[in-house]
Amino acid sequence: MTFENFVESAIQTARIIEIGEPAVTLAHPLLNGVPYSVFRREVSIETRREIGAFFSSDAMAMELVSQLEGRIDDDALVLDPTCGIGNLLLARAATLPLHDTLASTLTSWGERLAGFDSRDDLVQLCKVRLCMLARARGNFNDEIDPLRTFPQILGRDMFAPESEELLSRADAVLFNPPFGKTRWPEKLGWASGEINAAAIFLDRLTSVLKPMAPIAAVLPEVLRCGARYARFRSMLSQRNYSGTFTLRGRFDPWTDVDVFTTLLTRSTADEPLWRSATADQSTQLADRYEIRVGTVVPHRDPESGASRLYICAKTTPAWEPAFEPSGRRLYQGRVFSPPFVVIRRTSSPSDKMRAVATVVTGKEPVAVENHLLVAIPNDASLSACQSLIEMLRLPEINERLNDLMRCRHLTTGAIKSLPWIAPSV
Ligand SMILES: C[S@@+](CC[C@H](N)C(=O)[O-])C[C@H]1O[C@@H](n2cnc3c(N)ncnc32)[C@H](O)[C@@H]1O
C-alpha cells in the first residue's frame, strides 16, 4: 500500500464507525507505531532526510508535554510548528478534557491545538489520529469529517509570512524540528554555509513567539555544545532565553543523532542557557593550558611551504608520555612548539575513554592535523603535559565529559571547562 493510499484509508477509518465494528481503543493501530512504520517503508530515506521527518517516540512526546505542566493554563493554545503525523500534539491532546460529543470534544481541542507541516498528507494523518484519540478516549461513534477538524493545524511552511500570526498567538510550543544540515538562502546573523536546520527553525520560532510562551524541545546536541553554534547560543541568550537540559543520547533506532531535551523560557534575569547544573567554579583547564584545534586540513591545505614535522590522529600513539614525531609534510600555516598535548577530537559516548591524549616532545615545531586538539601548558613544561594526560585518564573526567556532551567531536569549550585535578604524586 502506498503512503497516499494509507492516508486515504485512515481518513475513511476516522470518519465513521460502522454498526457492528468494534469500538476504537487506545491500542488502535493508527494511534500506535503503524503510521510511522508505513511512512518509513513507503517514503524514501532521501525524502525523509530532505524534510527531516523523524518522529518522536511516545516517551519523548510525553516528556515534552510534561515539561509544560504547571506553566500553562488548561485552555492554552499549544503549537507544534513542524507537527508531522502529530505525535507531540497527540500527547498534549491526551491531557485535554473530553466533552459530551465527539464534535464538541474536537471543537474544544481544535481551539487548543495548532500546528504546521509543509506536507499536507502528514497534516491529514495528524488530524485523523487526533480524531481517533478522541474516539478512543470518549468511546464516541458519531460520524465526522476528520479533514474539517482542527482549523489551526495547517499544511503550511512554518517560515511562510502567513504562518506568523498563528505562531505569535501560541501560548506554548512543543518542538522537534528537522535536524539535517542545510544551506539557508537568507543571511543569518550567527552562521553561514551548511547549518543544522534545527538552529534555523529555532531562530525563526524565537523571533516571532510571544515573550512568555515556553518551548519544550528535543534538539540535536551540536546546538548545545558545537563550537560553530556559539553565536547561535548567544543570539538565544540575547533574546533572554534560558533553560536547563537533559541528555537523551541517540534520538531513536532509526535516527543516529544525539539529542537533548530542554524547556526554553524567557526572563530578564541573567539565567544561563543550557549550562549543566553541576558546573564547577574551581580552577578549569583553560586557566592552565591554551586549548587549540590543530590547523592542518589534509585534503584542503596545499603541500607547499616549509618542510614541517607533522602529526595526525592516525599516526599518533595513544597515551604516549613522550612521543617524538618523525613524519613530515610541506606546510605554511601555524605550527606548535613542543612540549604540548594532543587530544583526539573524534570521540563518542560509547568509547571507553572520551579524551585520548598524547604528549608531543622534540625540539622542532610541529604541524598538527585538525582532528587533534592541542593543549599548550602556560608554563611550557613537560611535567604539566604529563599531568594533563594523567588527569584525562581519570574516571571522573571521563564521566564529566560524558555528562557534558554527547557530540561525536570533543570541542575546545568542553576541554577548557574541565575542572583541574592535580596529579596524585
Ligand atoms: C522531526 S519531524 C517532527 C514531527 C513531530 N513534531 C514529531 O515530533 O513527531 C519534522 C517535521 O517537520 C516538517 N517540516 C520540514 N520543514 C518544514 C517547514 N519549513 N515548515 C513546516 N514543517 C516542516 C517535516 O515534514 C517533518 O514532518
Side-chain angles (χ1 to χ4, degrees), residues 89-165:
L89 293 175
L90 261 86
R92 172 67 184 168
T95 70
L96 294 177
L98 294 166
H99 294 262
D100 292 343
T101 62
L102 179 58
S104 57
T105 299
L106 292 174
T107 302
S108 156
W109 290 9
E111 286 161 5
R112 289 161 181 77
L113 297 175
F116 301 114
D117 199 284
S118 43
R119 274 185 72 134
D120 285 332
D121 54 355
L122 300 183
V123 167
Q124 289 174 351
L125 203 45
C126 170
K127 293 185 180 196
V128 159
R129 297 178 73 227
L130 285 165
C131 293
M132 293 298 279
L133 178 66
R135 283 196 186 283
R137 284 188 55 206
N139 203 12
F140 297 123
N141 56 10
D142 5 351
E143 182 172 352
I144 42 122
D145 179 352
L147 300 188
R148 295 180 79 102
T149 59
F150 296 97
Q152 304 188 93
I153 300 180
L154 303 163
R156 189 183 278 172
D157 187 329
M158 174 192 137
F159 292 84
E162 56 274 26
S163 302
E164 190 162 332
E165 188 273 330

Side-chain angles (χ1 to χ4, degrees), residues 190-207:
W190 44 269
S192 57
E194 282 212 315
I195 304 165
N196 193 299
I200 301 169
F201 279 66
L202 194 53
D203 178 358
R204 167 72 177 159
L205 192 58
T206 54
S207 71

Side-chain angles (χ1 to χ4, degrees), residues 340-404:
F340 58 84
V341 174
V342 286
I343 305 166
R344 282 159 185 64
R345 284 177 77 196
T346 312
S347 138
S348 115
S350 59
D351 291 346
K352 206 164 148 229
M353 302 296 286
R354 289 304 303 268
V356 176
T358 305
V359 178
V360 178
T361 58
K363 295 198 167 43
E364 249 187 76
V366 182
V368 180
E369 188 208 16
N370 72 333
H371 285 108
L372 293 167
L373 296 177
V374 182
I376 307 151
N378 291 349
D379 67 2
S381 73
L382 181 61
S383 63
C385 292
Q386 288 167 343
S387 300
L388 177 55
I389 69 165
E390 195 183 311
M391 193 195 104
L392 291 172
R393 296 183 88 133
L394 294 173
E396 54 264 47
I397 291 295
N398 220 26
E399 272 164 33
R400 173 84 181 207
L401 280 169
N402 270 330
D403 204 29
L404 203 62

Side-chain angles (χ1 to χ4, degrees), residues 142-359:
D142 5 351
E143 182 172 352
I144 42 122
D145 179 352
L147 300 188
R148 295 180 79 102
T149 59
F150 296 97
Q152 304 188 93
I153 300 180
L154 303 163
R156 189 183 278 172
D157 187 329
M158 174 192 137
F159 292 84
E162 56 274 26
S163 302
E164 190 162 332
E165 188 273 330
L166 188 49
L167 285 168
S168 65
R169 271 197 298 115
D171 297 309
V173 171
L174 295 166
F175 198 39
N176 168 23
F179 294 165
K181 280 191 182 163
T182 184
R183 281 183 184 276
W184 200 239
E186 286 154 37
K187 195 169 157 30
L188 298 161
W190 44 269
S192 57
E194 282 212 315
I195 304 165
N196 193 299
I200 301 169
F201 279 66
L202 194 53
D203 178 358
R204 167 72 177 159
L205 192 58
T206 54
S207 71
V208 289
L209 280 186
K210 62 183 171 195
M212 294 324 287
I215 307 169
V218 51
L219 297 169
E221 265 286 85
V222 69
L223 263 55
R224 191 181 66 79
C225 54
R228 278 197 73 208
Y229 294 88
R231 287 175 68 198
F232 164 75
R233 293 189 289 273
S234 303
M235 179 271 294
L236 285 185
S237 295
Q238 275 159 20
R239 289 180 187 167
N240 293 323
Y241 278 97
S242 63
T244 54
F245 67 90
T246 309
L247 298 179
R248 293 287 163 210
R250 188 180 163 136
F251 180 75
D252 69 13
W254 305 281
T255 324
D256 187 14
V257 177
D258 284 324
V259 295
F260 67 102
T261 51
T262 185
L263 180 72
L264 286 168
T265 54
R266 252 181 195 170
S267 83
T268 45
D270 201 10
E271 302 277 348
L273 173 71
W274 299 333
R275 189 110 12 105
S276 161
T278 56
D280 198 321
Q281 296 309 309
S282 61
T283 307
Q284 297 186 322
L285 232 66
D287 300 322
R288 289 172 172 258
Y289 301 82
E290 183 188 345
I291 311 292
R292 298 261 158 207
V293 180
T295 50
V296 182
V297 184
H299 61 272
R300 191 198 66 194
D301 289 335
E303 293 259 0
S304 62
S307 166
R308 296 293 196 185
L309 286 172
Y310 171 59
I311 53 172
C312 64
K314 283 199 185 110
T315 57
T316 306
W319 302 118
E320 272 286 320
F323 169 61
E324 207 169 325
S326 56
R328 289 189 169 272
R329 65 161 280 157
L330 300 178
Y331 184 58
Q332 51 194 0
R334 177 171 180 184
V335 285
F336 299 89
S337 295
F340 58 84
V341 174
V342 286
I343 305 166
R344 282 159 185 64
R345 284 177 77 196
T346 312
S347 138
S348 115
S350 59
D351 291 346
K352 206 164 148 229
M353 302 296 286
R354 289 304 303 268
V356 176
T358 305
V359 178

